Amino acid sequence: MRVLVAIEPVDFRRGVDGLAQQCRAALAENPFSGTVFVFRNRQRTAVKLLVYDGQGFWLCHKRLSQGRFRWWPTASEAAAPLRAHELQVLLCAGDASATQAAPEWRKVGT
């Protein structure tokens, strides 16, 4: 599954339609592609995930009860890709860049 993290914070008053428009305008991505889009607020206390599953949109919101998301990707582009295990670490308010995961699966040569 493709995961894209928006580098810049967004207005968290936005719902599904507003975030889908953010995908189109700021990220230059199709919100109907099945990609998981990850957004954060300015204070780094909350994240929203937007994904289209073929029938409709899922919008998930996580707000930390204390503290902030310490790590957020940086890039010269509007969005940065993450792997699934890195997203899981990010959602637990950890440093996804410090994960020591096994390399991605690759086809074995014949």
Side-chain angles (χ1 to χ4, degrees):
M1 180 171 277
R2 186 170 176 232
V3 178
L4 281 179
V5 178
I7 302 301
E8 296 298 319
V10 298
D11 182 354
F12 262 38
R13 293 175 289 183
R14 290 182 178 214
V16 170
D17 295 328
L19 292 175
Q21 179 58 30
Q22 185 77 13
C23 293
R24 285 186 208 96
L27 307 181
E29 293 285 339
N30 180 3
F32 293 96
S33 65
T35 298
V36 177
F37 295 98
V38 184
F39 302 94
R40 71 170 173 92
N41 64 353
R42 288 196 191 285
Q43 298 83 15
R44 290 188 180 207
T45 57
V47 294
K48 282 188 177 183
L49 280 68
L50 179 72
V51 64
Y52 184 75
D53 70 0
Q55 292 180 318
F57 282 100
W58 285 88
L59 180 61
C60 304
H61 183 157
K62 179 175 184 174
R63 185 180 68 199
L64 297 176
S65 56
Q66 56 182 309
R68 299 179 190 279
F69 289 94
R70 295 174 287 140
W71 179 85
W72 199 259
T74 57
S76 58
E77 302 292 321
L82 280 186
R83 290 184 263 166
H85 72 276
E86 292 173 327
L87 175 60
Q88 185 174 8
V89 171
L90 174 68
L91 292 176
C92 292
D95 183 351
S97 67
T99 60
Q100 299 286 331
E104 293 183 30
W105 180 86
R106 289 179 178 81
K107 185 176 180 180
V108 177
T110 55

